[in-house]
Every structure is written in structure tokens, then in C-alpha cells.
Amino acid sequence: MKVIVFGATGSVGHLAVKELLEAGHEVTAFARKPEKLGLTDANLFRTAGDALDAKAVLEAVKGHDAAVITLGSGLSRKSVIRSQGTMNVIRAMQAQGVKRLICQSTLGARDSWSNLNFWWKRVMFGALLAPVFRDHELQEQLVEASGLDWTIVRPAAFTDEATRRPVIEDVPNSARGLDLKISRGELARFLTRQVIDSQYLGRAVGLSS
């Protein structure tokens, strides 16, 4: 399949590009500076652009079979890249007839709020990262209303190493006592799998150890 990844040079995005290539897909890495990706593959194409530039996104989406969104801005509290960038991707996909959308959000968004512990509810998403959290929630609403073949992926906090306990796939909202962690590599593999897997079509799925 021809897959475009938005946020391709981010901490998860670049791993998703790598996993998609290893799975045999033709991948377009969309980022402001895609040359930073540091990968070489005959099936890798780089497109420089800003997800907030609707025209650039519209042109980039053309000819693809699926889009993966891993947009973010680190811990920037003022960024709206997740919601506004996602809206541009959705509109571009609608205009270009591309249906499959996999969007990375966060565990805790909307009906998964109950999975979080006190620290994440009150300190991180309740105060320090409140604007980021609200942007994720808006992002999810836009995806759900898009009319596309979507899957929202809600990972817990990222780690570089494998988690101490196994990652639970499709975390139930009733789950408590989670480690609230997932390795970036495992998340990238899960995002890659969704491109051709319809198990979670039209659903939000939580991931956490």
C-alpha cells in the first residue's frame, strides 16, 4: 500500500516509517524537515511541508491508500498542531478519495479518562499539559466525524525501552492499576499493523502496560 505519515520525523513517526517500510509498504514521510529522517529505502519518499498548510497537505495526500497521523510538538503547551493538522489531513483525504486513516491520540482522552491515575488526571493533563490534552480531545472528535475509515490509537506515556509488564491491547475503560507506559517501538508496530487490519475500524483503542 501507499501510506503517508504526518509527523514522520517525530519520536514515534520515524519509527512508524521504518516499520511500514519493513512491512513492504511504499511510504511518504511528510514533515517540515523530512531530510532529518535518516533512512534510506527505495520505497521511501520525502515531502517537505507543514501540516498546518492545507494546500501542501492536499497535494501530499494525492495518490495514497492510507494516512497515519503522529503529529505532535513535544511538550509545547500552546500547540494546536494535533487538531488543526488533523483537520487538514481529513479534508485532504475527503477531497482526494483516500479512506483509511490511523490517528495517534493519547490514553485518557474522552471515554478512556478513567484509565488514568491521580498524577495524570490532576497534575499532567489536569494542569501542566491541559492545553495539549484538550487538543487531543478535539482531534478525536474531528476524526470520528470525518466519515473516513478511521482508527484512533490511544497510547500511554512513551518509553524508549520495553515495558516491565506486557502491553495490554484495547485497554477496557474499567481497567485500573495500569503502568501507563508503552515503548515507542511497540506503538510504531501497532500503528503499522492498522494499515491493513480492520479489527479496530471505527474505534478508539487504548494501549498500556
Side-chain angles (χ1 to χ4, degrees), residues 1-3 26 28 58-66 96-98:
M1 293 182 71
K2 295 182 179 181
V3 185
E26 186 176 296
T28 298
L58 177 65
E59 183 62 28
V61 164
K62 185 188 303 181
H64 289 87
D65 302 306
Q96 303 287 14
V98 181

Side-chain angles (χ1 to χ4, degrees), residues 194-207:
Q194 303 318 302
V195 170
I196 58 172
D197 191 340
S198 60
Q199 180 180 1
Y200 299 117
L201 193 65
R203 287 192 53 203
V205 53
L207 302 172

Side-chain angles (χ1 to χ4, degrees), residues 28-199:
T28 298
F30 185 99
R32 284 174 292 179
K33 296 181 179 180
E35 67 276 6
K36 293 171 58 178
L37 199 57
L39 295 173
T40 301
D41 193 288
N43 286 323
L44 174 62
F45 303 88
R46 294 172 171 84
T47 297
D50 189 332
L52 296 179
D53 182 343
K55 185 176 180 181
V57 173
L58 177 65
E59 183 62 28
V61 164
K62 185 188 303 181
H64 289 87
D65 302 306
V68 177
I69 295 176
T70 61
L71 292 171
S73 57
L75 297 180
S76 172
R77 299 175 62 186
K78 297 181 180 179
S79 174
V80 292
I81 185 68
R82 296 166 182 86
S83 60
Q84 292 187 12
T86 296
M87 187 72 259
N88 285 338
V89 174
I90 289 170
R91 287 172 174 163
M93 292 177 69
Q94 292 168 337
Q96 303 287 14
V98 181
K99 296 293 291 182
R100 187 68 175 118
L101 173 62
I102 299 96
C103 181
Q104 176 194 313
S105 178
T106 186
L107 191 67
R110 308 184 75 195
D111 60 350
S112 65
W113 178 254
S114 58
N115 292 140
L116 302 183
N117 58 26
F118 179 87
W119 172 259
W120 279 97
K121 285 180 178 178
R122 303 304 175 209
V123 180
M124 296 302 287
F125 288 154
L128 297 178
L129 298 178
V132 172
F133 184 72
R134 288 194 295 270
D135 202 40
H136 268 307
E137 296 223 304
L138 177 55
Q139 178 187 44
E140 288 200 7
Q141 292 173 35
L142 295 170
V143 170
E144 290 186 10
S146 68
L148 300 172
D149 295 335
W150 57 268
T151 297
I152 293 170
V153 181
R154 294 170 172 166
F158 305 146
T159 66
D160 288 324
E161 304 299 328
T163 53
R164 182 175 57 86
R165 295 194 292 178
V167 168
I168 301 169
E169 184 176 302
D170 197 15
V171 176
N173 293 339
S174 59
R176 303 291 185 274
L178 300 168
D179 294 335
L180 299 176
K181 294 179 181 179
I182 183 173
S183 74
R184 291 175 174 87
E186 187 151 3
L187 172 56
R189 288 187 289 274
F190 184 83
L191 292 169
T192 295
R193 200 180 91 205
Q194 303 318 302
V195 170
I196 58 172
D197 191 340
S198 60
Q199 180 180 1

